[in-house]
Amino acid sequence: MADHGSSSAPGFDFGDEEQVGASRAVPQARRVAVLLPLPLPEAYDYKVPAGMELGEGNYVEVPLGPRHLLGVVWGPGAGEVSDTKLRPVAQRFDIPPMPEIHRRFIDWVAAYTMAPPGAVLRMALSAIGGMEPPKPITAYQLGDPGRLAELRMTAARRRVLDLLADGPPRPSAELALEAGCSAAVVRGLADAGVLEPVLLHPTRNIPAPDWRLPGPVLSPEQAAAAESLRGKVAAAGFSTTLLDGVTGSGKTEVYSEAIAACLEAGRQVLVLLPEIALSAQWLERFATRFGAPPHQWHSDLSGTQRRATWRDVATGAARVVVGARSALFLPYPDLGLILIDEEHDPSFKQEDGVIYNARDMAVARAHLGAIPIVLVSATPSLESSINADAGRYGRLDLPARHGGASMPDLKLIDLRLDRPPRNRWLAPSLVTALTETFAEGEQAMLFLNRRGYAPLTLCRSCGHRMQCPNCTAWLVEHRLAGKLQCHHCDFTMKLLDVCPSCSAEGSMTACGPGVERIAEEVTQLFPDQRMALMTSDSLIGPHAIREMVRRVQDHEIDLLIGTQVMAKGHHFPMLTLVGVVDSDLGLGGGDLRAAERTYQLLQQVAGRAGRAERAGRVFLQTYMPEHPVLQALISGDRASFYEREADERHEHGMPPFGRLAALIVSGEEETTVDVVARALGRTAPRSETVQVLGPAPAPYALLRGRHRRRLLLKAPRAVSVQPLIAEWLSRVEVPGSVRVQVDIDPYSFL
């Protein structure tokens, strides 16, 4: 992770801290440089037509080949193309220009991630069509009263006329619905001239969050933390604060006071959440606190919703935006506060296209805009924790649960001693705990971070394993859907009765458990209990998640079984037991952050238990009870665990004490990929301090039909790796059939 503390990131200058939001006229504005949302390294020059005034940041439409594309005026033209060859700007959109701070941010992200600026701009223009004002709607009002005498009046027609006599013009569908008639009745009145059409320009009457509404009563510790955050907002300068609080400590209530302070100052707020699954209860709590919902930004919005939200952000109408990582690239004209909830979550890292970590880029955005940012977590990332310990970040601690609730009691189940019966996955002691919980009328949760029924299907006769044809990955059995599926490329096929290798019948068997298999076992053990699955397969979109949360809160469900989508952020007062089916999952594989991520995930899962007045219990099934991660969880000694992790990273010069950058070489032809990867290996920069590992096949050597090789550059903290990589890449000719992606500060090594 880049060090975005009081000093700028290694090798980078954040630039002038002044924020300028207005559009500046381009000098000699007869030619302008327009950046297009394509993977292009620079802006293209265009001619400004007579009578058109353009300034930096204006959104324009320009021709490129046979197409017309949306672009942004990035500055004056370079002048390298003669006037006779320039093509003119087609039109300028009537919308506030992209703020200068946002253009500087796009340039900074492009330079840091080594992505073309146009590719970063594409993320900022992800709601194409938001430039155009909403299309007018045809509505009807009363027309010529003289035509009434010529018309045979019916009860349905009279109801339509009565509605319009006492109200504003209305669209045909709305009139028909309220009058209880068909649309043909309305059309008939319009054809007769009794109604006349008018064009209505739609407006979005979204109530603004009200910062003046009183919030909940805070404990002394919460009130002190909230006052500190309010002070950061009032100071209106750059600061980074880590809000570190145990699960259930009221972190959301605390940082809501910072939101209120920012709204009081008349500025915009951005809240980033790692997953849509976290938004259901968050949105409910926000609306309760501020009397209105925030604007949302995530992939499940419709195109119309995205365009409207984009426009509201650009015009400043959106005061609070909550969304996934891409919300960071919306064009805020007056952003005053950024909040990153669950800042440790790996979902903030985008692995495709422009590869970036939204948490780190958000800190850079706050620095460029001279505004405060708050990183929130019950299990902070090691990077953020070390930055706080070193004084580069401020730190606010909430060490106790709110309202007197106690932390749950954690217990390890050694599966070597407390073995589940054959073809079962739940240890006898966990089954006993479930029985006790249901007898008390309380709820339970079983966690297993594996979707589907089983992670592997093989033939008992010949040992053939069902593998994805496009990826180096086993096909996951989804028995409820009757299919085998790859979770990387979404390839699917029907479940097989006959082995495709040896043709043996009835020999295909599922190996290992997924959540569906745990649900099958629970149904046999507790047939009278109401059970539900909570996974990304079973819950599609925020509405489904919201309904599931409601059912659990209303105690329509006794047992919840699921993956990590249920592990964070949810508050279920009657949930007192959490069972982790496989606590060892994720501890292997040699990943740099495997231990840290497993600790964070299990701690978050455990935090779902006993969040109200009833005490909670957590059972962790494991074959490695002596593992440092599990011992840290049981002892509650997070500090020692983080210290041990930091010592190991420091000893080996790994982040955050060193720099890493990965090159991923991929293509459809394996031979060509190997040629390019070997050439990169031969020309790699090496010195006493800089080391390059590889090339080597990626763990997923075939992914979505593309063969993959990886190289990893390792350097000391003080080294700026981007210039090294740029010079390195310039030495190798890469054919068009091969893609070389650069991943600065890699999180995944797959």
Side-chain angles (χ1 to χ4, degrees):
M1 172 187 168
D3 174 7
H4 302 307
S6 57
S7 60
S8 60
F12 279 85
D13 181 3
F14 280 99
D16 184 3
E17 302 228 353
E18 178 186 4
Q19 177 177 342
V20 181
S23 172
R24 298 183 300 179
V26 177
Q28 301 176 347
R30 298 280 52 91
R31 76 164 63 212
V32 291
V34 176
L35 188 63
L36 301 173
L38 299 171
L40 301 170
E42 58 188 3
Y44 287 176
D45 278 12
Y46 284 89
K47 183 187 301 183
V48 180
M52 181 183 291
E53 294 295 328
L54 289 179
E56 293 181 5
N58 281 143
Y59 298 95
V60 294
E61 182 184 297
V62 295
L64 183 71
R67 298 180 294 168
H68 274 66
L69 297 176
L70 174 69
V72 178
V73 176
W74 222 247
E80 297 175 357
V81 179
S82 68
D83 289 346
T84 58
K85 294 183 178 180
L86 286 184
R87 301 180 72 179
V89 173
Q91 68 166 314
R92 185 192 73 184
F93 292 98
D94 184 20
I95 194 168
M98 179 180 286
E100 186 196 16
I101 182 64
H102 199 53
R103 286 179 277 125
R104 287 169 52 205
F105 177 57
I106 288 172
D107 282 336
W108 194 94
V109 171
Y112 189 84
T113 62
M114 303 191 70
V120 182
L121 178 66
R122 182 164 53 192
M123 298 192 297
L125 300 181
S126 56
I128 300 299
M131 313 303 151
E132 297 281 9
K135 293 181 179 180
I137 300 171
T138 300
Y140 292 94
Q141 63 184 11
L142 292 178
D144 184 0
R147 298 292 183 93
L148 284 173
E150 307 171 7
L151 191 69
R152 184 176 67 85
M153 190 57 60
T154 65
R157 288 173 171 174
R158 173 55 59 193
R159 291 195 299 273
V160 172
L161 297 176
D162 288 345
L163 280 172
L164 290 175
D166 297 329
R170 302 188 187 191
S172 174
E174 183 179 324
L175 276 173
L177 180 64
E178 293 199 33
C181 65
S182 67
V185 173
V186 178
R187 286 197 303 270
L189 290 170
D191 293 342
V194 176
L195 303 183
E196 64 179 20
V198 294
L199 292 179
L200 297 180
H201 292 277
T203 57
R204 282 166 56 86
N205 297 317
I206 298 178
D210 189 352
W211 56 267
R212 294 163 297 189
L213 294 176
V217 177
L218 301 179
S219 69
E221 294 81 7
Q222 290 175 326
E227 188 59 32
S228 176
L229 294 182
R230 278 184 166 274
K232 301 286 187 184
V233 173
F238 171 66
S239 64
T240 307
T241 303
L242 176 62
L243 180 57
D244 182 358
V246 300
T247 54
S249 60
K251 296 183 292 296
T252 305
E253 287 71 19
V254 168
Y255 71 63
S256 290
E257 295 304 304
I259 295 175
C262 192
L263 292 175
E264 183 179 3
R267 306 193 69 183
Q268 293 173 296
V269 180
L270 168 63
V271 182
L272 292 185
L273 300 177
E275 298 174 10
I276 301 172
L278 297 180
S279 67
Q281 286 189 322
W282 193 97
L283 292 169
E284 181 182 320
R285 292 158 76 178
F286 183 93
T288 300
R289 171 65 179 85
F290 294 102
H295 281 68
Q296 298 180 57
W297 186 263
H298 50 73
S299 59
D300 274 21
L301 296 179
S302 67
T304 300
Q305 290 172 319
R306 289 174 70 84
R307 289 190 291 271
T309 298
W310 192 98
R311 195 174 181 89
D312 283 350
V313 171
T315 60
R319 307 312 302 165
V320 179
V321 177
V322 58
R325 58 180 179 246
S326 58
L328 181 62
F329 291 92
L330 294 174
Y332 305 93
D334 193 18
L335 189 60
L337 173 67
I338 302 176
L339 292 150
I340 314 292
D341 208 340
E342 307 290 354
E343 65 87 25
H344 65 278
D345 198 290
S347 299
F348 283 123
K349 183 67 184 271
Q350 175 163 297
E351 301 286 356
D352 295 320
V354 178
I355 303 176
Y356 70 96
N357 188 314
R359 178 198 62 203
D360 296 353
M361 298 303 101
V363 176
R365 173 63 175 86
H367 192 286
L368 288 169
I371 62 174
I373 180 171
V374 183
L375 310 179
V376 184
S377 179
T379 54
S381 64
L382 188 62
E383 291 90 342
S384 295
S385 184
I386 288 174
N387 275 330
D389 292 342
R392 289 186 288 267
Y393 293 176
R395 186 178 214 138
L396 297 172
D397 291 310
L398 297 173
R401 283 186 161 180
H402 183 57
S406 59
M407 295 299 292
D409 178 43
L410 273 69
K411 178 183 178 182
L412 295 179
I413 296 178
D414 188 341
L415 292 174
R416 298 169 300 184
L417 304 176
D418 191 2
R419 293 178 176 273
R422 182 177 174 81
N423 294 325
R424 295 287 179 91
W425 311 98
L426 303 182
S429 57
L430 179 54
V431 173
T432 299
L434 287 167
T435 304
E436 295 168 350
T437 299
F438 298 144
E440 292 292 328
E442 297 169 350
Q443 294 168 302
M445 172 188 289
L446 291 177
F447 171 79
L448 176 61
N449 208 22
R450 275 206 191 110
R451 295 151 58 190
Y453 184 84
L456 171 66
T457 299
L458 58 76
C459 173
R460 288 192 301 266
S461 296
C462 70
H464 176 75
R465 300 183 176 200
M466 297 301 298
Q467 181 173 326
C468 175
N470 307 316
C471 306
T472 310
W474 308 123
L475 293 176
V476 176
E477 178 177 336
H478 288 258
R479 186 164 292 187
L480 295 178
K483 65 182 181 181
L484 297 171
Q485 180 178 357
C486 174
H487 288 166
H488 299 280
C489 71
D490 287 334
F491 169 84
T492 60
M493 62 182 294
K494 292 182 178 180
L495 294 178
L496 301 177
D497 294 323
V498 177
C499 175
S501 178
C502 70
S503 301
E505 295 186 6
S507 64
M508 305 306 293
T509 185
C511 298
V515 288
E516 290 180 13
R517 198 166 198 173
I518 300 303
E520 181 180 82
E521 179 176 346
V522 166
T523 300
Q524 296 172 357
L525 291 169
F526 304 101
D528 297 330
Q529 303 303 321
R530 300 164 296 180
M531 180 269 295
L533 286 175
M534 190 171 183
T535 72
S536 57
D537 298 309
S538 61
L539 300 178
I540 307 299
H543 297 294
I545 295 168
R546 191 176 300 115
E547 174 60 15
M548 177 63 73
V549 169
R550 182 202 63 78
R551 291 177 62 200
V552 178
Q553 287 179 324
D554 293 347
H555 208 157
E556 296 176 9
I557 294 171
D558 301 309
L559 175 63
L560 200 57
I561 302 173
T563 59
Q564 63 183 11
V565 298
M566 69 176 186
K568 303 179 289 286
H570 302 298
H571 178 76
F572 302 132
M574 290 297 292
L575 198 153
T576 60
L577 176 66
V578 169
V580 178
V581 177
D582 187 354
S583 300
D584 306 332
L585 189 62
L587 286 175
D591 191 322
L592 165 67
R593 296 179 175 87
E596 178 190 355
R597 278 205 287 254
T598 301
Y599 176 86
Q600 290 163 340
L601 181 57
L602 296 182
Q603 185 73 281
Q604 293 281 347
V605 173
R608 299 313 102 205
R611 293 172 65 94
E613 64 274 4
R614 296 170 182 252
R617 294 183 295 167
V618 178
F619 290 82
L620 307 174
Q621 295 193 159
T622 176
Y623 284 100
M624 299 185 292
E626 68 285 349
H627 195 283
V629 167
L630 300 176
Q631 288 300 313
L633 287 167
I634 292 299
S635 66
D637 189 0
R638 189 185 81 183
S640 294
F641 172 71
Y642 274 40
E643 183 178 353
R644 183 167 50 251
E645 282 288 299
D647 288 344
E648 287 186 12
R649 304 249 193 114
H650 188 273
E651 179 183 352
H652 295 95
M654 302 298 278
F657 306 102
R659 306 293 308 278
L660 291 179
L663 297 188
I664 304 101
V665 186
S666 66
E668 295 180 1
E669 292 291 334
E670 185 174 11
T671 301
T672 309
V673 170
D674 282 330
V675 168
V676 173
R678 285 195 295 267
L680 286 168
R682 286 193 302 269
T683 58
R686 289 184 174 87
S687 67
E688 292 182 359
T689 56
V690 176
Q691 180 183 11
V692 173
L693 306 175
Y700 288 112
L702 181 66
L703 190 65
R704 303 183 188 99
R706 298 180 68 87
H707 297 275
R708 305 167 72 244
R709 305 293 182 264
R710 291 181 64 98
L711 299 98
L712 186 68
L713 183 145
K714 181 173 175 285
R717 186 98 189 100
V719 172
S720 179
V721 298
Q722 287 86 352
L724 282 176
I725 294 173
E727 200 275 333
W728 179 14
L729 292 175
S730 70
R731 302 175 194 163
V732 176
E733 184 176 348
V734 179
S737 61
V738 173
R739 181 168 64 230
V740 179
Q741 292 177 288
V742 180
D743 184 359
I744 304 294
D745 309 323
Y747 248 57
S748 169
F749 296 87
L750 299 177

